[in-house]
Amino acid sequence: MGLLGVVAIVAGCSGGGATEEAAVPTAVPVSMTPTEPELPTADTTRDDDLDHVMALTVNWVAPDEMGDTEPATDEPATDEPATDEPATDEPATDEPSIEVPADGVGELAPEDVGSAASGVAHAGTSARFVATSPLRTAIVGARREPTVEFEIERADGTVETVTVPRSSLVTRLVVTPEEAALLAQFADQPVAVVVEDVTGVAGPAGRRYVMVPGRLIEIGVRTAGAGDTGDAPAEGGEPTDGAAPATTEPPATTEPPATTEPPAPPTTPEPEDTRTDEEILVDILALPDVQTAEIAAPGVIAVATAGPRDELLFVDGVVGIESDELLQIGSEPDQRLQWMISNSGSPDQAGGWPGLVGADTNVTPAWQVSRGQGTVVAVIDSGVDMDHPDLVDRLWTNTREVCGNGVDDDGNGFVDDCRGWDFGDNDNDPNPTPGLDSFTQHGTHVAGIVGAPANGIGVVGMAPDTRLMALKVGRNRTIPTSSLAGAIVYAADNGADVINLSVATPPNTLRSQVTVMESAIAYAGQRGVLVVAGAGNNGLDVSNGPVYPAGFSQFYDHVMSIGATTNSDTRASFSNYGSNITLYAPGWWIWSTYVDGYNFMSGTSMATPVVAGAAAVLLASGQVTTPAAARARLVERADATVTGPRVDVAKAVGLDLPPSVDVSVRGADTLVADVPGRVSLDVAAANLAAPATQVRISLATEVDGQVWAVSGFPMTVTAPDGSTQQLTTDGQGSLPPIAVSDPAALATGWTATADLVLPAGDYAIVTELLTAAGAPIEGARVAYLAVSGAPSGDGGGGGAPTTTT
Ligand SMILES: [Ca+2]
Ligand SMILES: [Ca+2]
Ligand SMILES: [Ca+2]
Ligand SMILES: [Ca+2]
């Protein structure tokens, strides 16, 4: 009777103080470090004709080859259309995506940024914007002002060509139903968004357009025919026909003015301008559902409300509402193209190839835990566009160096290394060398994947709050090993937590050919730096013919070798594979920063920074502190795919895991000999969420090969807050269930201790998670325990256990 689960589990009880645990996958064993690493010196001189120079190539696939990089057909069975020569004609490859920077054009006004940041600080999905006057449209952030040539289709059917500064076109995420309907007509475009021409270079200021590559389509319903409320222009199938005539009011009142109204709509002749922001704020704060509100910028109040947003419209002086989600993380304008962040399955995300919904890095939930803040990821590559608007705010700077004084202020061997170093040209400017096409672009693309910020423009990286240390290596398409080694040592000496190496030697490189590189890698390990390296793009099994530095993952547990997956979770055909791949990650049709814009690239070069960013998120969470632990965690909590383990960041930081409870005997190894009978149990529940709200602890003993519940036995349970209670097992050997419903426990897990004194014998201590109604929801976990001798006299309390069937 009773204790059924326990009987089943305890049957194999052998005593001995062991705790049964799930097998923990161990990391690849560390080999001994190489003999006495000879460290490259950190000085900046090097001869270019070193005999150990080896050509490294970046692990990148040229855009015109990307069409051929369909999911691997040889290895994992895939149902992808593998044979038909696919994507050479795909729009994305041919699209001049540098010149047409998709919707990365959405520069934001400073007021927007400040307000949004403030709104985000209010947090919560209910945070909202309230614009008390039309948002100002001053443009900043565009340090350069690239122009884009567009063909404009006017509402009246005329077509003309205009040249528009990028920053004038602000992406609008909140659109009217009419705009959404128009947008839907361009669903087949790789990019289609609503933009607002804030400075009026393409027409009247505030005019909105649907933007697709190369074209702006004027939004018909907003044409200048001011007064006519009813006649939706007869633009191709405008879906407004039904709605407009049905209302007797001007349209502006039937719809919440979903976005900042252009200044001009003559239906509202600015009556409320006399109220100040402060007066409006007082009224907003008086609303019952409003949690917080503050003036974020002149004319903008950031509000977090639990109520319907429209109620804010009734506050005198409020002229419009805009969702604060605009700048919340995970809402970057280009994120729809970033299947590594969120795989919608849409072919738009990968040059026409449909994907597997959800086959992504699962990083968005992880950002609740960490965004990589406080970490530094070194991007050792072909240089980073230091002025890119979507990178500039996250670039690492050397705060110990005074810039431009010609002095090595921090004594690290590099003069004026304020923004990293160029180990290719031996200067302090790590911008890429122009004119080398893909090689020029490579490092900038990699940097964006690691850590493009969530700043409301363009893309978001895996670790949007990390710092990117730009270290350029190589001066043309190849990278001398000495250059790479110098950069690795610099990164390790100057505060990098993670080093991204999207570079590789050819297959079958001998370890003896890369001893300088190995020394630098080993040194980084000694400094506690995780090294993430691309497995290479040869499409080969490199188990026995490694490329380096990825191949060092076999010898060092602070090195990871990264292969590339597609948006269907298959191995990208170009990706090397084999037993020495540590982890796979998205590396195919990855949309990221490009010099002067954004573009797709494919390669293990792209998969590598995905993992480097994931590692930064994990390290910033504080859950692991060493590179070996970070590597082990990322592998252990990866998603199993047909290709191999693919990174899953939410799991890595402890989210998306099933609730669990575990029990262990403190000091179990010494218990039998040293402290007979006096036992402390550690009980830990994790990943708790409704309905996991109770923990039950039970005690059983084995007598003559039979398992018995121990009833009427006292334990002292100490809760996480330090409070203690004396509990007694019931007829089933169980303590009364203990509630674990407090919010802190739900967020961070719940731990408790149970103290008891046991007579000699063999025991099983069982923990289970229960719903609030008492139903078990998780497999029981058991600690076995053998007690020899009598309890030491103090406290006693227990007495001989009563046994019962
Ligand atoms: Ca210096
Ligand atoms: Ca200096
Ligand atoms: Ca330079
Ligand atoms: Ca961004």
Side-chain angles (χ1 to χ4, degrees):
M1 65 164 288
L3 217 61
L4 293 175
V6 175
V7 174
I9 295 164
V10 175
C13 173
S14 60
T19 299
E20 177 193 280
E21 289 178 2
V24 176
T26 51
V28 176
V30 196
S31 89
M32 30 260 78
T33 48
T35 53
E36 195 53 35
E38 67 171 305
L39 299 175
T41 56
D43 76 17
T44 62
T45 60
R46 62 174 184 80
D47 29 336
D48 274 325
D49 51 353
L50 297 169
D51 57 3
H52 55 254
V53 165
M54 165 164 294
L56 283 85
T57 54
V58 291
N59 301 329
W60 169 80
V61 174
D64 51 3
E65 296 168 26
M66 284 167 62
D68 293 333
T69 59
E70 73 274 17
T73 56
D74 45 352
E75 269 289 288
T78 167
D79 52 0
E80 283 297 318
T83 51
D84 41 312
E85 212 28 73
T88 46
D89 58 340
E90 288 298 339
T93 54
D94 296 330
E95 210 56 55
S97 27
I98 308 174
E99 290 75 18
V100 181
D103 55 349
V105 296
E107 316 288 3
L108 285 163
E111 294 83 356
D112 289 351
V113 176
S115 313
S118 156
V120 171
H122 290 295
T125 52
S126 61
R128 306 207 190 288
F129 261 170
V130 174
T132 58
S133 62
L135 282 178
R136 292 196 299 190
T137 52
I139 299 304
V140 294
R143 301 185 168 223
R144 287 156 302 161
E145 194 68 355
T147 56
V148 188
E149 191 169 85
F150 284 102
E151 209 173 64
I152 293 193
E153 297 179 14
R154 298 290 181 196
D156 62 9
T158 59
V159 174
E160 60 183 297
T161 301
V162 294
T163 301
V164 183
R166 249 174 58 184
S167 58
S168 182
L169 300 179
V170 174
T171 304
R172 286 306 179 195
L173 300 185
V174 181
V175 299
T176 65
E178 291 81 6
E179 290 167 345
L182 185 56
L183 206 52
Q185 297 172 21
F186 300 96
D188 59 339
Q189 294 288 322
V191 175
V193 293
V194 171
V195 297
E196 187 171 333
D197 177 12
V198 293
T199 53
V201 294
R207 176 71 48 87
R208 290 178 160 222
Y209 303 87
V210 168
M211 189 183 77
V212 299
R215 261 196 310 161
L216 294 174
I217 298 100
E218 191 172 292
I219 290 180
V221 294
R222 294 220 170 206
T223 45
D228 349 321
T229 58
D231 61 343
E235 293 263 314
E238 278 298 326
T240 59
D241 299 352
T247 171
T248 58
E249 292 294 310
T253 61
T254 62
E255 305 281 1
T259 62
T260 65
E261 286 295 324
T267 47
T268 55
E270 47 189 314
E272 331 269 9
D273 270 4
T274 54
R275 303 205 77 204
T276 65
D277 291 346
E278 288 75 13
E279 291 167 340
I280 297 167
L281 178 65
V282 169
D283 286 356
I284 289 175
L285 283 168
L287 293 173
D289 292 327
V290 167
Q291 294 159 348
T292 62
E294 67 180 23
I295 297 169
V300 179
I301 297 176
V303 181
T305 175
R309 53 183 283 171
D310 288 357
E311 75 181 1
L312 299 168
L313 280 173
F314 295 100
V315 174
D316 192 13
V318 172
V319 300
I321 306 174
E322 184 161 324
S323 174
D324 203 12
E325 291 166 11
L326 180 63
L327 289 194
Q328 287 201 7
I329 203 151
S331 63
E332 295 292 88
D334 281 8
Q335 189 177 316
R336 51 181 301 194
L337 294 174
Q338 294 185 272
W339 66 267
M340 74 173 192
I341 302 288
S342 178
N343 190 339
S344 69
S346 164
D348 291 352
Q349 293 186 319
W353 292 91
L356 186 63
V357 176
D360 51 47
T361 58
N362 203 13
V363 70
T364 1
W367 288 334
Q368 299 161 21
V369 175
S370 152
R371 300 173 179 185
Q373 64 280 2
T375 61
V376 175
V377 178
V379 175
I380 297 179
D381 213 290
S382 66
V384 174
D385 179 356
M386 305 298 284
D387 298 319
H388 198 293
D390 216 357
L391 293 173
V392 65
D393 291 337
R394 287 299 181 277
L395 297 175
W396 172 84
T397 53
N398 184 357
T399 55
R400 297 172 302 166
E401 182 75 25
V402 178
C403 307
N405 64 352
V407 174
D408 178 17
D409 302 281
D410 63 354
N412 66 353
F414 299 84
V415 174
D416 291 350
D417 55 325
C418 292
R419 308 189 295 168
W421 195 258
D422 180 346
F423 289 84
D425 294 329
N426 195 23
D427 61 42
N428 64 4
D429 178 6
N431 271 295
T433 306
L436 298 171
D437 299 332
S438 57
F439 191 84
T440 296
Q441 299 291 354
H442 191 271
T444 301
H445 202 266
V446 165
I449 296 170
V450 174
N455 53 356
I457 61 171
V459 295
V460 63
M462 296 291 293
D465 287 356
T466 193
R467 293 279 158 185
L468 302 163
M469 180 189 285
L471 300 176
K472 177 168 171 281
V473 289
R475 78 169 43 129
N476 48 41
R477 292 175 190 284
T478 60
I479 299 167
T481 305
S482 57
S483 167
L484 189 79
I488 292 170
V489 171
Y490 181 99
D493 281 344
N494 289 277
D497 302 289
V498 180
I499 292 175
N500 189 91
L501 295 175
S502 292
V503 298
T505 62
N508 300 306
T509 297
L510 299 176
R511 189 177 177 184
S512 60
Q513 293 175 281
V514 286
T515 58
V516 169
M517 189 196 299
E518 177 162 354
S519 298
I521 298 261
Y523 178 70
Q526 291 161 13
R527 300 298 301 254
V529 182
L530 180 69
V531 176
V532 187
N537 297 333
N538 315 97
L540 297 174
D541 182 343
V542 289
S543 302
N544 299 310
V547 302
Y548 291 100
F552 290 123
S553 64
Q554 289 177 291
F555 311 120
Y556 298 92
D557 64 2
H558 71 282
V559 182
M560 301 181 74
S561 169
I562 310 302
T565 56
T566 71
N567 64 338
S568 301
D569 251 347
T570 56
R571 178 174 64 81
S573 58
F574 55 76
S575 175
N576 289 342
Y577 57 95
S579 58
N580 56 0
I581 305 298
T582 316
L583 191 61
Y584 287 87
W588 187 74
W589 285 95
I590 302 298
W591 182 253
S592 181
T593 43
Y594 229 47
V595 175
D596 291 336
Y598 302 87
N599 206 349
F600 286 108
M601 290 180 103
S602 289
T604 55
S605 276
M606 281 67 244
T608 305
V610 169
V611 175
V617 169
L618 173 59
L619 288 165
S621 78
Q623 297 179 11
V624 298
T625 53
T626 67
R631 165 176 151 158
R633 174 74 75 91
L634 287 167
V635 172
E636 181 179 302
R637 298 204 183 157
D639 279 349
T641 73
V642 293
T643 305
R646 191 255 302 130
V647 66
D648 186 316
V649 191
K651 278 193 199 168
V653 297
L655 301 174
D656 281 18
L657 293 172
S660 66
V661 64
D662 206 354
V663 58
S664 58
V665 179
R666 189 177 299 167
D669 291 339
T670 58
L671 173 72
V672 176
D674 294 346
V675 195
R678 184 164 296 281
V679 178
S680 285
L681 306 174
D682 289 315
V683 181
N687 312 316
L688 295 172
T693 54
Q694 300 188 90
V695 169
R696 182 165 65 194
I697 303 171
S698 306
L699 180 65
T701 187
E702 184 184 19
V703 178
D704 297 334
Q706 284 191 294
V707 177
W708 304 80
V710 181
S711 68
F713 201 85
M715 295 188 210
T716 302
V717 177
T718 306
D721 64 4
S723 62
T724 63
Q725 51 184 330
Q726 185 81 15
L727 301 174
T728 304
T729 58
D730 62 12
Q732 315 296 312
S734 300
L735 298 182
I738 304 162
V740 287
S741 54
D742 61 290
L746 296 181
T748 61
W750 179 90
T751 57
T753 57
D755 294 292
L756 63 167
V757 179
L758 290 168
D762 290 339
Y763 297 94
I765 296 110
V766 183
T767 53
E768 298 165 277
L769 280 181
L770 308 176
T771 65
I777 57 169
E778 204 263 343
R781 298 299 299 261
V782 187
Y784 300 121
L785 175 65
V787 176
S788 62
S792 49
D794 54 329
T802 318
T803 58
T804 175
T805 58

